[in-house]
Amino acid sequence: MDWYKHDIPKYVAETDELPDAEDLAYRRMRDIYYTTEKPFPPEIETVSDWVKLDDDVVAPVLEKFFKPTPEGYVHEAWQTEIDHRKFVSVTNRRNGHKGGRKRRGVV
């Protein structure tokens, strides 16, 4: 995904109580998550390397905002948005192959 909507009031509400380093980790993790469109690996060290911050900064963010799964750490809201955009993209692609939407009023 090349871009995502950054809802500033929602972001501030989610991260208001985080120390600056954890806020930076969360923001970097968000960028990486949307870029890769897949869960973070289960190894905290790998995530820390990607985010370029220490394990003790990244671990609390993973614990607070992410759900551990067999595939890795998933942020449910972000994953839902990514899955929705993928669905819309596939639907639009199929419609494009059909010739797109029919024009109104064209005979």
Side-chain angles (χ1 to χ4, degrees):
M1 183 178 297
D2 294 330
W3 65 274
Y4 59 85
K5 182 179 178 181
H6 181 70
D7 186 345
I8 295 171
K10 184 177 178 182
Y11 181 85
V12 170
E14 288 176 347
T15 61
D16 190 39
E17 296 180 7
L18 294 180
D20 289 344
E22 290 179 15
D23 180 54
L24 176 61
Y26 184 76
R27 181 58 189 258
R28 288 181 180 176
M29 291 166 85
R30 186 176 183 184
D31 290 345
I32 293 167
Y33 199 94
Y34 276 105
T35 301
T36 62
E37 296 185 3
K38 57 185 177 183
F40 286 118
E43 303 82 23
I44 293 175
E45 298 80 15
T46 304
V47 180
S48 296
D49 288 344
W50 289 2
V51 176
K52 297 179 177 72
L53 294 169
D54 294 332
D55 295 353
D56 60 334
V57 174
V58 172
V61 176
L62 285 172
E63 290 173 19
K64 182 170 183 165
F65 296 103
F66 292 81
K67 178 181 176 185
T69 67
E71 295 82 30
Y73 287 97
V74 174
H75 191 290
E76 292 178 336
W78 300 346
Q79 192 62 48
T80 299
E81 184 176 346
I82 290 168
D83 293 344
H84 175 72
R85 287 195 183 182
K86 284 181 180 179
F87 173 78
V88 168
S89 178
V90 168
T91 302
N92 289 343
R93 191 174 305 115
R94 285 184 190 147
N95 288 337
H97 288 299
K98 294 177 187 175
R101 292 188 178 111
K102 298 196 187 276
R103 297 182 186 203
R104 294 182 187 185
V106 176
V107 180

